[in-house]
Amino acid sequence: MEWEVVIGLEIHAQLATKSKIFSGASTAYGAPANTQACVVDLGMPGVLPVLNHEAVQMAIKFGLATGSEVAPRSIFARKNYFYPDLPKGYQISQMELPIVGEGVLEIRLEDGTVKKIGITRAHLEEDAGKSLHGESPGMTGIDLNRAGTPLLEIVSEPDMRSAKEAIAYMKKIHSIVTYIDICDGNMQEGSFRCDANVSVRPKGQEEYGTRAEIKNLNSFRFVEKAINLEVERQIDVIEGGGAVVQETRLYDSDKHETRAMRSKEEANDYRYFPDPDLLPVEIDNETIEAVRANLPELPDAKLQRFISEYELSDYDADVLTSSRPMADYYEIVVKASGGEAKLSANWVMGDFSGTLNKESTDIKECPVSAEMLGGMIKRIADNTISGKIAKQVFEAMWQGEGDADAVIESKGLKQVTDSGAIEKLVDEIITNNPGQVEQYRSGKDKVFGFFVGQVMKASQGKANPAQVNQILKDKLKP
Amino acid sequence: MHNKTLSELSAALQAGEFSSTELTQSYLDRISSLDPQINAFVTVTQQLALDTAAAADKRIAAGTAAPLTGIPLAQKDIFCTEGVKTTCGSKMLDNFISPYDATVIENFNAAGAVMLGKTNMDEFAMGSSNETSYYGPVKNPWDINKVPGGSSGGSAAAVAARLAPASTGTDTGGSIRQPASLCGITGLKPTYGRVSRYGMIAFASSLDQAGPMTRTAEDAAMMLNCMAGFDERDSTSAQRDVPDYTANLNDSLQGLTIGLPKEYFGEGLDAQVGSAVEAAIREYENLGAVVKEISLPNTHLAVPTYYVVAPAECSSNLSRFDGVRFGYRCDDPADLEDLYKRSRGEGFGAEVKRRIMIGAYALSAGYYDAYYIKAQQLRRLISDDFKRAFEEVDVIMGPTAPEPAFGLGEKSDDPITMYLSDIYTIAANLAGLPGMSVPAGFVNNMPVGLQIIGNYFDESRLLNVAHRYQQVTDWHARTPEQFK
């Protein structure tokens, strides 16, 4: 039988606020355990939450950036359950009235087609702390530094039909939240993670199959692997005559499997009710318009602009706008190069990205600034160096040997454009290779490349290729 | 010394008649000799009190004293006090030393008031007789075989027995007004949001409100001046200026319209209590007030509504007492579930468990709409009753409690009868309105309170109305024989 996969994602984006969503404690990552947890985060008797309005602004930004509805009135609710890293015995979240309502997002698939994915809602909530196992034998430690960190949970419609589509959607959301600066997007630190709801149904069937929820996936690769594994598992279960059970599952990347955590029957009754410690969040049009006015250019708009302003291909524009740091970097390169848009695109997408990947370096921390790369491209464009020599210059810049001009100077890589000097080299080559001269003059045009190579070699690559061509042609004339 | 009101004490301290240290010591002596009879205090902070008093004396000498500088006070053990045990009347918090001060405590500290100690209370403020306390019942200073009311029973008894000139209480369904009535003192529950709830251990967040428990309305005004105000740490506190509550105490009551809800004088009200309240109303007519019968038709829904809303909120508020980070933890837990079950099972008393279970049930899937949502709708109806009434009248009066103090143990096995002790006070909490209880007579030698309910943020008028009555009566000035 042919199966259709149905996927919906719940993405948790940690909002990049300085302090927590309901307390003044810092949200900075990596501090010693329990040093960033104040009495409110510890759930001490008598403490009360106070909403961080920066988190609200960020949620509004997300709503506007995805064309979703921003609720004029939303309500915080308590989700009640016991867990040692949940200090109050309840998580403050939003249930019935979330801050962001329905929206639609377009994703670009590998074959270039565009697909619409529905956003059901996005709501604000606080993160829990962490349980630390194995630090002291027989005991579990609790670190509440993360408790109270603001999260935006973005829930999609079950509109995705493959792991690839799920990844494309997740990358799109990732790109948007980082573009609008509400999340640092760091998946290793857990700032951006997701739960995937996966089900299968016979192709053509309208009704959804029973779904399983895979929890806490914190890399694009894991999402893809986990979904594909889960799809295989569900199909095996059904084809083996069984039925998929509604349950929560965990993806184990070491064992390469998903396994059951708890079934629907074991699921908690969270006893949601409006949190009486917090007032409803009222958002007026004025606030929304003020946020809209400060919204940066979004990925889709930037892509269109790159195509028209820099005359890039759809593909190049798509790659360059996939992340805001990349797009920003490219634009500075173009500017510093004196407007060499195509050459800049080739370099940013080619050697530059390749080196970033090879060295596993973040664009913000890489040793070659956009100004430096642009400066080098300018030297290609004005014939100071050739494209081939540029690779050497780039490598030297990466090694911290200074900007392009300094490297060209110190290594003596300046292109030779003195026609007298080039003529001298050409004369030498012609004199030393009488056989090849004979061949060329008798009509074997292909030999011309040999002469160009010889001249370039003799100049250590520095001779201007166009000049070499011209002078050779003149001198080799019978 | 111990028969003076706050304003008299304040004046005497400023005039140098005695020092705060002497005054504080005199109250500490009274507590040490007399409190064993009534069990009003859980903790007496003797050294802290004397240190604070010494600092207050310097401040008085320097001429920078505030009205409450050097005045000894008793604080209900529901307010977190840094470095001092804060039990909320529960075994669960018997070992809990708060790492921070509640806003109310901070305000009193800034004013230079002296904390004598922490007063006994029903466990987590759940009770109307002070019998649910882990630290044993408080006894009524007018008759030690009777209850003082609750949950702020320790605070009420301490003031009635003159073990403190004034105290603080909290009121979720009547926990300031009912014990004030039963102990013959003055108690004020302000408008919801008037006093910060930060650092006040939550019972039912949408109903809890702190207020003063004093001998006189004037004292209550002085206390409220210090307690009230917006607090950025409490999102539900009101962003409204705080008037000087002592400013209008002597305003004339000529033409004041008093509403008497007929539902407050019907079945269930002790006839003699009813007579005492009627006598008080006649006193008001003598002062120039006009009386009007009104109806609060949804009054009968207040108790059932309250016993869904308050337990629902408490079931969630009390989840943090899990034995993990602070408070009671059972011995040798086998695993996490055992730790939770036994820590909570052993740490909470029966009434607290009953309410947590009622609340968890009311919020659970399939019952939420029938209970919690329905209760919210009824709450609105009850508020609307008052809204309509205040279009016609300035204040509403009636009994605070249906009867005078009952015997210790008399109702402790019958929760429903006990819950009806708050039948006249609960509605003000559901509506968020301010309410007072002032001493208005005695029935069989036990005090009876008159309740005055005002419109939102109309505490000044309540205090004025109570004060004028106290100028022409002396019920509030009487002291139980053994504590004179």
Side-chain angles (χ1 to χ4, degrees):
Chain A
M1 189 186 298
E2 209 179 332
W3 296 94
E4 183 174 50
V5 178
V6 175
I7 302 161
L9 295 186
E10 291 169 19
I11 295 175
H12 291 86
Q14 181 180 317
L15 297 177
T17 55
K18 285 180 209 73
S19 58
K20 294 186 176 175
I21 185 167
F22 299 118
S23 85
S26 166
T27 52
Y29 179 83
N34 295 310
T35 56
Q36 288 181 351
C38 65
V39 288
V40 174
D41 307 320
L42 294 172
M44 281 285 163
V47 298
L48 295 171
V50 175
L51 179 60
N52 180 343
H53 284 279
E54 209 187 336
V56 173
Q57 297 282 314
M58 288 180 172
I60 298 174
K61 257 182 160 179
F62 177 81
L64 295 177
T66 52
S68 306
E69 184 193 334
V70 175
R73 186 167 183 274
S74 63
I75 289 193
F76 282 101
R78 294 186 184 177
K79 179 180 181 180
N80 294 284
Y81 64 96
F82 285 96
Y83 205 70
D85 63 20
L86 186 72
K88 298 186 295 296
Y90 58 85
Q91 178 196 29
I92 305 178
S93 179
Q94 296 189 304
M95 182 61 180
E96 279 178 18
L97 295 173
I99 188 161
V100 174
E102 284 181 14
V104 177
L105 210 62
E106 287 184 348
I107 58 170
R108 191 181 294 269
L109 304 179
E110 275 177 348
D111 64 5
T113 55
V114 168
K115 179 169 178 175
K116 285 182 163 50
I117 306 291
I119 293 175
T120 313
R121 58 184 280 166
H123 65 254
L124 287 168
E125 62 183 26
E126 58 179 344
D127 207 344
K130 266 185 200 157
S131 295
L132 307 170
H133 302 285
E135 302 238 324
S136 39
M139 309 260 273
T140 296
I142 306 291
D143 177 6
L144 294 175
N145 282 352
R146 204 181 62 186
T149 299
L151 299 177
L152 189 67
E153 180 174 331
I154 305 152
V155 183
S156 82
E157 290 291 307
D159 286 348
M160 288 151 276
R161 295 290 171 267
S162 68
K164 288 249 181 293
E165 288 185 21
I167 300 301
Y169 166 79
M170 195 176 173
K171 282 190 169 163
K172 186 71 183 253
I173 296 279
H174 186 267
S175 144
I176 289 172
V177 296
T178 51
Y179 256 78
I180 60 177
D181 241 351
I182 64 169
C183 174
D184 68 15
N186 190 323
M187 298 179 76
Q188 266 166 353
E189 291 174 5
S191 303
F192 191 85
R193 55 188 196 261
C194 92
D195 303 337
N197 282 295
V198 180
S199 65
V200 296
R201 63 182 170 190
K203 200 150 193 145
Q205 179 182 305
E206 197 136 322
E207 230 174 290
Y208 291 128
T210 306
R211 68 173 194 272
E213 183 181 14
I214 316 165
K215 282 282 190 195
N216 243 336
L217 300 164
N218 66 349
S219 85
F220 294 123
R221 205 160 44 90
F222 286 173
V223 172
E224 184 164 2
K225 284 188 171 175
I227 290 174
N228 286 333
L229 272 173
E230 181 57 19
V231 167
E232 270 175 50
R233 187 191 70 85
Q234 291 187 9
I235 292 172
D236 283 352
V237 167
I238 299 169
E239 288 182 344
V244 174
V245 191
Q246 188 175 334
E247 62 188 358
T248 304
R249 298 182 71 84
L250 198 70
Y251 169 64
D252 186 330
S253 58
D254 295 330
K255 292 191 180 153
H256 199 57
E257 62 174 25
T258 70
R259 59 171 179 270
M261 274 171 79
R262 56 175 180 264
S263 73
K264 191 188 174 191
E265 286 71 33
E266 293 166 314
N268 283 309
D269 177 355
Y270 291 120
R271 291 175 284 122
Y272 279 100
F273 75 106
D275 191 331
D277 288 333
L278 290 161
L279 304 176
V281 182
E282 313 264 4
I283 300 168
D284 56 20
N285 275 331
E286 215 172 298
T287 309
I288 292 176
E289 290 317 311
V291 173
R292 197 194 304 278
N294 287 312
L295 217 53
E297 186 181 30
L298 296 168
D300 287 349
K302 203 179 279 277
L303 181 121
Q304 289 310 319
R305 181 168 64 80
F306 275 27
I307 292 170
S308 60
E309 187 176 331
Y310 300 123
E311 296 172 348
L312 297 178
S313 67
D314 286 10
Y315 176 80
D316 287 2
D318 194 33
V319 172
L320 288 170
T321 56
S322 65
S323 87
R324 187 168 165 187
M326 179 71 88
D328 289 348
Y329 189 94
Y330 169 73
E331 293 208 87
I332 299 169
V333 171
V334 173
K335 207 170 162 208
S337 73
E340 296 295 328
K342 180 62 191 159
L343 198 51
S344 294
N346 291 347
W347 268 93
V348 172
M349 292 163 60
D351 289 59
F352 177 71
S353 291
T355 313
L356 276 185
N357 277 338
K358 205 174 74 195
E359 308 278 327
S360 305
T361 305
D362 191 86
I363 196 161
K364 289 172 201 152
E365 282 144 23
C366 89
V368 178
S369 72
E371 286 82 1
M372 286 164 75
L373 184 57
M376 187 196 84
I377 290 168
K378 193 175 188 174
R379 292 295 164 248
I380 302 172
D382 71 9
N383 288 327
T384 307
I385 52 172
S386 65
K388 205 163 174 194
I389 290 290
K391 288 180 193 286
Q392 272 185 61
V393 176
F394 179 75
E395 215 158 282
M397 291 198 298
W398 193 280
Q399 298 308 324
E401 294 174 29
D403 66 12
D405 286 349
V407 171
I408 293 166
E409 182 62 38
S410 69
K411 293 199 183 253
L413 297 175
K414 196 165 188 290
Q415 187 158 257
V416 178
T417 51
D418 172 355
S419 45
I422 296 173
E423 272 181 47
K424 215 177 136 206
L425 288 174
V426 169
D427 288 342
E428 269 173 43
I429 300 294
I430 288 176
T431 314
N432 294 340
N433 297 285
Q436 279 82 354
V437 174
E438 192 74 11
Q439 283 178 26
Y440 179 76
R441 287 189 176 149
S442 64
K444 281 202 171 176
D445 287 353
K446 277 185 188 163
V447 188
F448 190 73
F450 164 79
F451 287 106
V452 174
Q454 290 297 309
V455 176
M456 292 308 289
K457 198 174 163 193
S459 75
Q460 291 162 310
K462 288 183 285 185
N464 180 307
Q467 278 176 294
V468 171
N469 272 328
Q470 193 54 53
I471 292 167
L472 267 173
K473 267 187 189 144
D474 292 345
K475 299 239 174 196
L476 283 171
K477 259 185 208 150
Chain B
M1 260 184 248
H2 65 267
N3 279 319
K4 288 190 187 322
T5 64
L6 287 191
S7 56
E8 287 164 355
L9 287 174
S10 189
L13 287 171
Q14 309 281 338
E17 281 177 41
F18 43 76
S19 68
S20 171
T21 305
E22 290 167 311
L23 178 65
T24 301
Q25 188 61 58
S26 123
Y27 274 109
L28 289 170
D29 291 345
R30 279 185 69 80
I31 292 168
S32 121
S33 64
L34 298 170
D35 190 52
Q37 295 179 48
I38 57 169
N39 196 29
F41 284 85
V42 172
T43 303
V44 179
T45 48
Q46 175 150 336
Q47 196 52 52
L48 178 67
L50 291 170
D51 292 347
T52 318
D57 283 330
K58 282 191 191 142
R59 190 165 157 185
I60 292 165
T64 56
L68 294 180
T69 306
I71 305 271
L73 300 174
Q75 303 290 359
K76 185 175 181 180
D77 208 14
I78 199 168
F79 295 102
C80 285
T81 42
E82 189 178 341
V84 174
K85 194 162 92 156
T86 300
T87 70
C88 224
S90 181
K91 179 183 181 184
M92 185 58 91
L93 290 178
D94 186 47
N95 63 2
F96 179 65
I97 300 202
S98 174
Y100 76 105
D101 276 329
T103 299
V104 163
I105 300 295
E106 262 185 19
N107 290 348
F108 282 121
N109 287 345
V114 174
M115 181 171 82
L116 293 167
K118 309 288 294 288
T119 59
N120 203 344
M121 55 182 284
D122 278 302
E123 185 179 8
F124 285 103
M126 298 174 196
S128 307
S129 67
N130 224 295
E131 292 167 297
T132 71
S133 170
Y134 174 63
Y135 300 94
V138 176
K139 289 153 193 173
N140 194 313
W142 292 94
D143 177 350
I144 57 164
N145 297 308
K146 295 214 153 79
V147 302
S151 66
S152 312
S155 285
V159 172
R162 312 300 187 233
L163 304 187
S167 63
T168 52
T170 60
D171 190 317
T172 305
S175 282
I176 287 175
R177 291 161 289 158
Q178 185 255 16
S181 172
L182 270 49
C183 288
I185 65 161
T186 304
L188 167 62
K189 178 202 96 73
T191 309
Y192 183 78
R194 181 71 292 187
V195 175
S196 169
R197 292 188 295 116
Y198 186 77
M200 191 177 115
I201 299 176
F203 160 17
S205 313
S206 73
L207 303 162
D208 296 343
Q209 183 61 200
M213 302 182 78
T214 55
R215 292 174 50 191
T216 68
E218 185 184 16
D219 288 0
M222 284 177 72
M223 291 280 281
L224 189 59
N225 275 349
C226 187
M227 297 173 80
F230 172 67
D231 180 5
E232 60 181 14
R233 291 172 297 190
D234 174 3
S235 311
T236 62
S237 80
Q239 298 206 37
R240 266 179 96 102
D241 289 342
V242 179
D244 176 0
Y245 290 108
T246 62
N248 297 87
L249 289 172
N250 289 304
D251 285 4
S252 162
L253 300 188
Q254 197 66 45
L256 177 87
T257 317
I258 298 172
L260 300 182
K262 60 179 185 206
E263 294 82 3
Y264 284 24
F265 292 89
E267 201 191 334
L269 176 64
D270 178 290
Q272 288 173 285
V273 171
S275 305
V277 170
E278 279 156 22
I281 306 290
R282 279 195 296 281
E283 205 67 66
Y284 275 104
E285 287 178 306
N286 294 338
L287 289 166
V290 181
V291 171
K292 195 168 178 179
E293 192 191 85
I294 58 165
S295 175
L296 301 171
N298 294 296
T299 295
H300 64 289
L301 296 172
V303 170
T305 300
Y306 177 85
Y307 278 98
V308 172
V309 174
E313 293 182 12
C314 102
S315 71
S316 174
N317 282 334
L318 268 59
S319 293
R320 69 189 60 200
F321 304 106
D322 57 5
V324 173
R325 295 166 317 286
F326 49 75
Y328 180 78
R329 177 185 285 191
C330 66
D331 287 335
D332 303 320
D335 55 22
L336 181 62
E337 192 161 311
D338 187 45
L339 169 81
Y340 283 149
K341 283 185 175 166
R342 283 202 291 124
S343 296
R344 288 169 67 79
E346 295 163 17
F348 288 138
E351 182 62 26
V352 170
K353 285 185 213 168
R354 179 179 298 125
R355 296 200 195 187
I356 289 174
M357 288 177 68
I358 293 171
Y361 182 82
L363 290 176
S364 60
Y367 297 96
Y368 180 77
D369 288 349
Y371 292 102
Y372 187 80
I373 294 292
K374 180 65 79 182
Q376 294 301 337
Q377 289 163 348
L378 297 181
R379 193 172 175 178
R380 172 59 61 88
L381 291 180
I382 290 162
S383 298
D384 289 347
D385 279 359
F386 283 105
K387 203 174 159 194
R388 270 190 300 275
F390 282 117
E391 283 166 10
E392 295 176 46
V393 302
D394 299 316
V395 293
I396 291 168
M397 287 189 189
T400 304
E403 55 181 9
F406 44 90
L408 282 161
E410 197 181 311
K411 297 187 182 181
S412 41
D413 294 332
D414 185 356
I416 302 292
T417 318
M418 185 75 91
Y419 294 170
L420 290 173
S421 303
D422 296 327
I423 188 161
Y424 303 128
T425 46
I426 274 174
N429 297 83
L430 290 169
L433 293 165
M436 270 190 97
S437 181
V438 291
F442 286 81
V443 168
N444 301 327
N445 298 318
M446 293 307 288
V448 168
L450 167 75
Q451 182 175 215
I452 316 170
I453 298 170
N455 211 338
Y456 296 104
F457 298 100
D458 214 5
E459 286 82 0
S460 281
R461 186 185 328 240
L462 285 189
L463 290 160
N464 161 227
V465 168
H467 178 71
R468 289 302 296 249
Y469 176 74
Q470 291 181 340
Q471 298 303 103
V472 296
T473 57
D474 71 346
W475 308 116
H476 63 283
R478 302 200 186 178
T479 311
E481 203 56 45
Q482 290 154 276
F483 299 94
K484 276 192 169 152

